[in-house]
Amino acid sequence: MTDNYGRTIDYLRLSVTDLCNYRCRYCMPEEGVCKQSHNAILRVEECEEIARAAVACGVKKIRLTGGEPLVRQGILEICRRLRAIDGLEELCLTTNGSLLRELAKPLRDAGVDRLNISVDTLRPDRFTQITRRGVLADVLAGIRAAEEAGFQNLKLDTVLIGGFNDDEIGDFLALTVEHPWEVRLIELMPMGPCAEWEEGCFLPGTVVLERYPALKAVDTQGVTRRYRLPGAQGTVGLISPVSHNFCGDCRRIRVTADGKLKGCLHAREEISLRGLHGAALEEAIRRGILQKPRQHRLKEDGSETHRTMNQIGG
């Protein structure tokens, strides 16, 4: 389906939980989030019904997100049900990787095509500092398990934070020399807990190119500008929502874990999908696509949404 600005919307990010076993400083408060009642979160059947309606509206790709989707009870059943939807071309999942050691093979068997794994530092002490409770070794073991399970073209997502991990850019780039992965460096967005952080924390993606001029552009995939080091097996992706507005290329919509459709990560407007079925559900999704804004206003006003990232679906 095409929105009012000529963009083909064929990508749904479906959040299955707002809970997480980490408390990343830019994403969640230290005490976590107030746990909602069981009935407040989409049931397995609702996830499937919304996904089917979205595919009927033209969605070809679905990414399961959270919070941390692997803490969601029934996550494998959700994956199996979505993978069985006719017309769905790609089922992906974004995870912090901490539970992949046990779940990588079951996820692959359930039909997940591709994984994105979030890792913001390669130093164990910093990892515990940024996540407030995570252990880097668990994530590294999860990455190995994902490869052993048959996942290919792994993507590692790293939020670039000035004064925290920008001295590790070279270490992340080195991973692409040794592995056929895509390391994606993502600009920190001024929303949620980090909205009031000092200006130096927010680095533009161009810093990577300035420091490592050996990077050569290869192509663009979606909102990711991709580069490669000479002789590298993998690629480097730059995602720059603040400094390089890519809204004109955005083809996604989002559904939160409590069933609200958002046309933009930062928009305040939401459409409730719960309780809708059949044609009414499809009509609501189409309406949400048509209400998708032309662009966010991060540079002018900051994020408009009242939700934190874990409550939207990162």
Side-chain angles (χ1 to χ4, degrees):
M1 181 173 170
T2 303
D3 71 3
N4 284 326
Y5 302 102
R7 297 170 295 197
T8 297
I9 308 302
D10 59 2
Y11 177 10
L12 167 65
R13 296 177 72 99
L14 175 61
S15 177
V16 296
T17 181
D18 61 352
L19 300 178
C20 186
N21 53 345
Y22 287 173
R23 299 289 183 270
C24 291
R25 294 176 182 273
Y26 56 80
C27 181
M28 296 178 69
E30 185 170 5
E31 66 275 13
V33 296
C34 181
K35 187 173 182 179
Q36 301 191 67
S37 69
H38 179 73
N39 292 332
I41 300 300
L42 292 171
R43 303 188 309 276
V44 171
E45 297 80 5
E46 289 178 297
C47 290
E48 178 187 6
E49 188 174 17
I50 289 171
R52 286 188 179 277
V55 171
C57 294
V59 163
K60 303 295 184 185
K61 172 182 176 180
I62 294 179
R63 176 176 300 281
L64 298 177
T65 68
E68 169 50 48
L70 298 190
V71 305
R72 165 67 193 257
Q73 185 176 5
I75 184 60
L76 296 176
E77 179 64 17
I78 292 172
C79 293
R80 283 190 288 267
R81 287 179 178 235
L82 269 57
R83 181 67 280 176
I85 297 174
D86 289 338
L88 181 63
E89 296 178 358
E90 189 174 16
L91 177 62
C92 308
L93 184 144
T94 291
T95 173
N96 63 30
S98 62
L99 302 175
L100 275 180
R101 180 159 39 188
E102 298 80 19
L103 288 175
K105 187 176 187 305
L107 286 168
R108 187 66 174 162
D109 293 342
V112 176
D113 298 302
R114 192 163 52 78
L115 294 175
N116 283 39
I117 302 169
S118 300
V119 54
D120 294 323
T121 174
L122 299 173
R123 302 185 186 183
D125 56 337
R126 286 183 178 178
F127 190 86
T128 301
Q129 177 189 353
I130 192 70
T131 63
R132 292 192 173 105
R133 58 182 60 187
V135 177
L136 179 61
D138 293 340
V139 179
L140 299 180
I143 292 172
R144 291 193 294 272
E147 291 195 310
E148 291 168 1
F151 284 104
Q152 299 180 349
N153 303 317
L154 291 177
K155 294 184 178 181
L156 304 189
D157 289 344
T158 300
V159 177
L160 187 60
I161 306 173
F164 174 72
N165 64 1
D166 58 309
D167 60 344
E168 295 184 63
I169 294 174
D171 298 330
F172 278 107
L173 267 55
L175 293 177
T176 70
V177 175
E178 304 166 4
H179 304 279
W181 303 338
E182 179 166 299
V183 172
R184 308 197 311 170
L185 300 168
I186 305 168
E187 289 181 350
L188 178 67
M189 292 180 287
M191 62 182 296
C194 68
E196 303 302 322
W197 287 7
E198 62 182 40
E199 186 177 351
C201 294
F202 299 89
L203 297 179
T206 51
V207 164
V208 179
L209 302 178
E210 292 167 359
R211 295 185 187 179
Y212 296 91
L215 286 167
K216 301 302 181 185
V218 286
D219 60 11
T220 299
Q221 287 188 351
V223 299
T224 306
R225 292 172 293 155
R226 301 168 74 240
Y227 302 83
R228 192 186 303 273
L229 286 172
Q233 298 183 57
T235 55
V236 176
L238 297 183
I239 302 179
S240 306
V242 181
S243 69
H244 182 78
N245 188 314
F246 49 61
C247 297
D249 298 318
C250 182
R251 57 189 181 90
R252 68 187 64 168
I253 53 174
R254 298 170 181 265
V255 173
T256 63
D258 56 357
K260 304 297 195 303
L261 186 150
K262 293 175 67 71
C264 173
L265 168 66
H266 304 285
R268 185 176 296 275
E269 295 77 16
E270 301 178 346
I271 295 175
S272 179
L273 302 181
R274 300 198 80 179
L276 302 179
H277 309 281
L281 179 56
E282 291 182 23
E283 190 279 330
I285 292 174
R286 291 191 178 96
R287 180 157 42 93
I289 290 173
L290 293 176
Q291 290 180 4
K292 183 176 175 67
R294 179 189 293 272
Q295 64 182 49
H296 66 65
R297 295 196 294 270
L298 275 176
K299 284 188 176 180
E300 295 84 3
D301 309 316
S303 185
E304 301 174 80
T305 181
H306 62 284
R307 295 179 184 255
T308 55
M309 182 69 81
N310 65 289
Q311 295 172 319
I312 300 171

